[in-house]
Amino acid sequence: MQGRYPLDYTFTEPLRQKYKTSELERRGAYADTGAPVTGAVAVGGAVAASFGDGTVRFFWPDSDPTVVNAHRGVVLCLASDSDYVLTGGDDGRFLRISLDGDIEELANFDTKWVDCVAATRGLYACSSGQKVLVWSMGQSQPTELEHSGTVGGLAFNSKGERLAVTHYGGATVWQENKRRWKRSRFVWKGSHGATTFSPDGKYLVTAMQENALHGWRIRDKANLSMSGYPAKIKSFAWVGETPYLVTSGASEAICWPFDGKDGPMNRSPVCVADGGKKIASCVQALPSEKAVFAGFKDGTVLLAELDEKKKAIVLREGTGAAVTAIAVTNSGSHLLIGDDKGKILWTPLWA
Amino acid sequence: MSGTEQVPVTVLTGFLGAGKTTLLNRILTEQHGRRYAVIVNEFGEEGIDNDLVVDADEEVFEMNNGCICCTVRGDLIRILGGLMKRADQLDAIIVETTGLADPAPVAQTFFVDEDVADRTKLDAIVTVADAVHLDNQLGEHHEAEEQIAFADIVLLNKTDLVDGKGLERVEARIKKINPYAKIIRTAHCVAPLDEILGLDAFSLDRVLEFEPDFLESDHDHDHDDDVTSMSITSNTPLDFEKFQAWFSELLQTKGQDILRSKGILDFDGIDERYVFQGVHMLMDGSTMGAWPGGKSRSSRLVFIGRNLDTMGLEEGFNACKVDTL
């Protein structure tokens, strides 16, 4: 229906009166789209960002960005697999968008929002209300999975054999066996949102609607409660080989170790990227390094190694708009920072 | 960088059939260039025809700390978050609750959830009441009483179907439960929208406008369950610490029965007026400027709730007065 559109805005010179410009910003390009940035992911050689005006924009290292008019309202969620992105919108549509900007409508829920999407290894899923649709490898018809509450988050494990669905009261983990999906319940009081499996698939972690993370060890459903955050956890990322789960929601990036047989149980997190009084709103891993980007509510972005003794590098000082998305190209060459006022910084990471 | 404006949210309550959908359709068709989003909970009734209608599941939960005051609407938080991502800013959001819903968890969401409070503000609780059936509903359903008790505005609908005496009787019942709500009589929900939306009734400024003097204390009850109101005034300044201790204990222990509370307080040693407003155990308060010239300083406190006469409110309040020897 809608295809690829030429760029409808121009990159402008940064307006810098109040704030010092960092080296990274001088190298980079800016866009002011006017619509809140709702997400960003690496896909193929590009970074895709989604916006509150229904557009998805692809940012390329060596050429101008391209813009796709995907949804009629807000792009509520965004995920990527090899060479496409999946989006869900408040127009009820679940879309697959190729790097060329070709749009395929996978499902249409009409007036119901598509709240969550997930993809891995050719598997993909979306949620609308209490319902999840999941497409198994090579199947054109989805399987419908019902839940007891509105779905707050979706995640596949990295092998693509389990699908976690969060809702009020905990999570449901679905496992596919001979084309049948079997459920297993993980119970914890409260409302659960965004979710992620640890890279080895042994743990499931959810961000709650309170200021806390919750987790379960899949093997025995042992509970992990990670609380004490001053704000909600809106963002997390797996970093390093340990690995650490790095989270926003505090004045530093809070990094929980998931090694050993008990993961973070009875251990303290590593805290890096100190933002002073500011609260981190978005975190992202620097690929292949034990380092993390931390974006803050005032627009500051820091890069920190996961070592409390080392000082973070200031990539950008505050701009007044909360960082809502950080993504790095798969090659680690370029960085995208997006905020809730619709501004984008797209910049090579290395001089 | 301009600050982000808070979008006002009106909570619309009322029993099934009272006329909520009629009112919603009016709001949406007479919007005069304004952009409203409506979050609906109810199925059945006649449909609402607009692009900006969002379906919500009824999902109420207590926070993990188990505190009853932290009962919030999970689904509401999710939907408000989605609406705040829109490129165009909304002029207002209207949340329709189901006929039998307790409006408290909706109101409390604005006190408890930081993201919601950052981007939106509770404007007013508007209750649509059916002039024909309200009398019966009040007798039979707890929820009807609570919806009246929480209201800033009671839209008394279907007045064309009741005679003058009947209307007076039903208004008297509303006033007995909640003398502070403004009652608007309508037939077919035809009332000026600016009397329903954009009232800012939950702002602390508005507390300053309330005049509890007309209240005649009315202590006779039919049964203990009745929701009533009570106001206390004093010309003697209050001791800040004593009041804090008494009031926080009161809300903690009796907050389930105290549906709403408001006050303008004169604290000894504090030059400005202290203003607060509360829903169950949660309250928001701050100093709100100097006392108006020409008027003497005084404290006024109002409660709407159940079993108010068993709480020793006057005694507790009197014990907070500074000793004037």
Side-chain angles (χ1 to χ4, degrees):
Chain A
M1 202 175 80
Q2 283 151 326
R4 178 173 167 158
Y5 285 72
L7 193 64
D8 63 353
Y9 57 86
T10 48
F11 277 131
T12 51
E13 281 297 308
L15 287 171
R16 296 278 112 173
Q17 286 116 15
K18 268 158 76 184
Y19 307 104
K20 269 191 293 180
T21 312
S22 69
E23 173 57 33
L24 204 75
E25 287 175 282
R26 278 191 290 276
R27 286 205 293 269
Y30 286 80
D32 187 353
T33 66
V37 183
T38 60
V41 289
V43 53
V47 163
S50 58
F51 294 84
D53 62 359
T55 59
V56 172
R57 291 167 160 91
F58 292 103
F59 293 82
W60 306 91
D62 305 315
S63 58
D64 284 344
T66 44
V67 53
V68 181
N69 290 326
H71 291 272
R72 282 184 291 273
V74 176
V75 187
L76 290 168
C77 45
L78 171 73
S80 66
D81 202 4
S82 56
D83 58 355
Y84 60 86
V85 295
L86 297 168
T87 58
D90 69 0
D91 59 355
R93 301 205 299 158
F94 174 44
L95 305 178
R96 175 162 57 190
I97 304 169
S98 75
L99 289 171
D100 296 331
D102 293 328
I103 298 174
E104 183 188 349
E105 184 178 291
L106 300 170
N108 193 328
F109 296 87
D110 197 20
T111 59
K112 299 254 183 198
W113 294 5
V114 176
D115 299 297
C116 311
V117 295
T120 193
R121 296 169 177 257
L123 275 167
Y124 47 91
C126 72
S127 76
S128 182
Q130 307 186 350
K131 198 182 287 178
V132 169
L133 296 184
V134 55
W135 282 257
S136 300
M137 196 64 152
Q139 284 193 310
S140 58
Q141 286 305 310
T143 305
E144 190 175 313
L145 309 172
E146 274 290 340
H147 304 87
S148 56
T150 305
V151 174
L154 281 180
F156 287 105
N157 68 353
S158 57
K159 286 184 187 159
E161 64 197 358
R162 286 194 174 114
L163 172 64
V165 180
T166 65
H167 39 74
Y168 177 62
T172 302
V173 174
W174 296 89
Q175 187 157 12
E176 192 182 21
N177 192 0
K178 294 179 184 153
R179 304 213 157 172
R180 287 237 163 137
W181 290 90
K182 231 183 98 209
R183 79 167 82 206
S184 173
R185 289 177 207 277
F186 291 75
V187 178
W188 190 256
K189 201 167 124 185
S191 205
H192 299 258
T195 185
T196 179
F197 281 98
S198 59
D200 62 9
K202 288 182 179 162
Y203 294 91
L204 178 70
V205 180
T206 66
M208 300 196 61
Q209 223 171 50
E210 316 163 36
N211 301 340
L213 279 179
H214 193 76
W216 294 271
R217 186 160 55 198
I218 299 292
R219 172 169 59 81
D220 56 0
K221 298 190 180 180
N223 287 289
L224 317 168
S225 280
M226 291 154 274
S227 55
Y229 287 84
K232 280 189 215 179
I233 297 119
K234 299 247 178 82
S235 168
F236 40 61
W238 294 97
V239 175
E241 286 179 4
T242 302
Y244 285 91
L245 181 66
V246 181
T247 62
S248 69
S251 61
E252 298 167 284
I254 308 296
C255 316
W256 299 96
F258 274 76
D259 55 343
K261 78 179 194 320
D262 289 335
M265 286 184 221
N266 303 316
R267 291 163 75 184
S268 297
V270 173
C271 303
V272 299
D274 187 352
K277 286 181 182 157
K278 303 181 282 276
I279 297 283
S281 52
C282 186
V283 295
Q284 186 57 272
L286 174 59
S288 318
E289 302 285 338
K290 203 176 153 188
V292 64
F293 298 98
F296 291 82
K297 269 189 161 172
D298 75 331
T300 301
V301 179
L302 305 177
L303 174 61
E305 288 183 58
L306 265 56
D307 181 342
E308 290 185 353
K309 293 189 211 79
K310 293 193 177 158
K311 231 180 146 223
I313 303 164
V314 180
L315 295 186
R316 183 174 85 172
E317 293 201 25
T319 58
V323 178
T324 52
I326 300 176
V328 183
T329 50
N330 284 322
S331 67
S333 69
H334 281 66
L335 170 73
L336 179 139
I337 299 166
D339 67 34
D340 67 354
K341 295 261 163 62
K343 293 207 171 52
I344 292 279
L345 169 61
W346 172 243
T347 177
L349 259 176
W350 318 103
Chain B
M1 188 71 51
S2 65
T4 307
E5 277 201 20
Q6 290 170 304
V7 180
V9 180
T10 301
V11 176
L12 188 61
T13 74
F15 263 46
L16 198 73
K20 275 182 298 174
T21 308
T22 313
L23 179 63
L24 281 175
N25 276 326
R26 269 205 55 220
I27 291 170
L28 291 170
T29 49
E30 295 174 26
Q31 48 187 249
H32 309 299
R34 289 175 176 269
R35 286 193 78 77
Y36 298 125
V38 174
I39 302 173
V40 294
N41 267 306
E42 203 146 21
F43 301 94
E45 285 207 277
E46 54 195 289
I48 295 160
D49 184 26
N50 191 275
D51 283 348
L52 276 176
V53 174
V54 188
D55 294 310
D57 290 306
E58 282 284 283
E59 187 181 272
V60 181
F61 74 96
E62 273 172 50
M63 297 286 202
N64 255 321
N65 60 17
C67 166
I68 188 116
C69 68
C70 299
T71 308
V72 300
R73 281 197 188 215
D75 218 32
L76 180 63
I77 296 173
R78 177 184 66 83
I79 292 168
L80 290 175
L83 289 175
M84 290 306 113
K85 291 176 181 167
R86 296 173 59 92
D88 55 334
Q89 184 134 41
L90 295 163
D91 293 301
I93 297 168
I94 297 136
V95 182
E96 184 204 23
T97 67
T98 51
L100 287 169
D102 172 3
V106 176
Q108 289 176 326
T109 303
F110 295 83
F111 287 82
V112 171
D113 192 90
E114 208 180 307
D115 286 344
V116 167
D118 270 359
R119 305 293 304 275
T120 60
K121 61 179 176 183
L122 187 54
D123 187 68
I125 298 176
V126 176
T127 298
V128 184
D130 180 335
V132 183
H133 296 114
L134 184 68
D135 223 12
N136 277 336
Q137 287 164 345
L138 286 175
E140 284 169 18
H141 303 280
H142 242 231
E143 296 84 358
E145 245 185 342
E146 305 216 331
Q147 288 173 355
I148 297 291
F150 276 111
D152 297 290
I153 299 284
V154 175
L155 206 65
L156 190 58
N157 194 32
K158 306 192 183 180
T159 50
D160 52 331
L161 304 177
V162 182
D163 62 21
K165 261 200 180 140
L167 276 179
E168 272 167 34
R169 196 175 61 239
V170 80
E171 275 202 7
R173 260 201 100 179
I174 294 170
K175 281 191 176 142
K176 191 177 159 196
I177 295 167
N178 182 348
Y180 311 103
K182 187 177 167 198
I183 300 173
I184 304 175
R185 290 186 183 187
T186 70
H188 313 293
C189 289
V190 183
L193 292 185
D194 60 3
E195 291 185 18
I196 299 167
L197 300 175
L199 303 177
D200 222 4
F202 273 84
S203 90
L204 292 174
D205 281 330
R206 290 299 297 268
V207 177
L208 295 172
E209 293 172 18
F210 85 91
E211 290 292 337
D213 322 314
F214 64 87
L215 189 72
E216 296 158 30
S217 62
D218 183 355
H219 284 302
D220 54 299
H221 296 198
D222 303 327
H223 24 111
D224 288 334
D225 251 8
D226 272 2
V227 176
T228 54
S229 67
M230 184 167 181
S231 91
I232 309 172
T233 59
S234 163
N235 293 322
T236 311
L238 305 174
D239 181 283
F240 184 73
E241 272 165 32
K242 279 185 193 163
F243 182 84
Q244 285 264 331
W246 168 66
F247 202 71
S248 59
E249 162 94 18
L250 178 72
L251 288 189
Q252 266 173 42
T253 55
K254 310 285 186 199
Q256 258 182 295
D257 279 347
I258 298 172
L259 305 182
R260 280 186 82 165
S261 58
K262 297 181 189 193
I264 303 169
L265 303 171
D266 170 21
F267 285 121
D268 187 44
I270 297 177
D271 286 338
E272 294 186 34
R273 297 174 290 187
Y274 185 89
V275 177
F276 78 89
Q277 105 148 297
V279 172
H280 285 308
M281 294 78 168
L282 302 176
M283 62 163 271
D284 181 20
S286 86
T287 50
M288 291 291 290
W291 291 88
K295 276 193 179 174
S296 61
R297 297 169 59 142
S298 66
S299 296
R300 292 179 282 168
L301 198 57
V302 166
F303 298 95
I304 299 174
R306 293 193 168 87
N307 305 314
L308 295 178
D309 54 348
T310 66
M311 294 178 190
L313 295 174
E314 294 209 62
E315 295 82 346
F317 179 79
N318 287 337
C320 299
K321 293 177 182 173
V322 289
D323 301 319
T324 44
L325 286 174

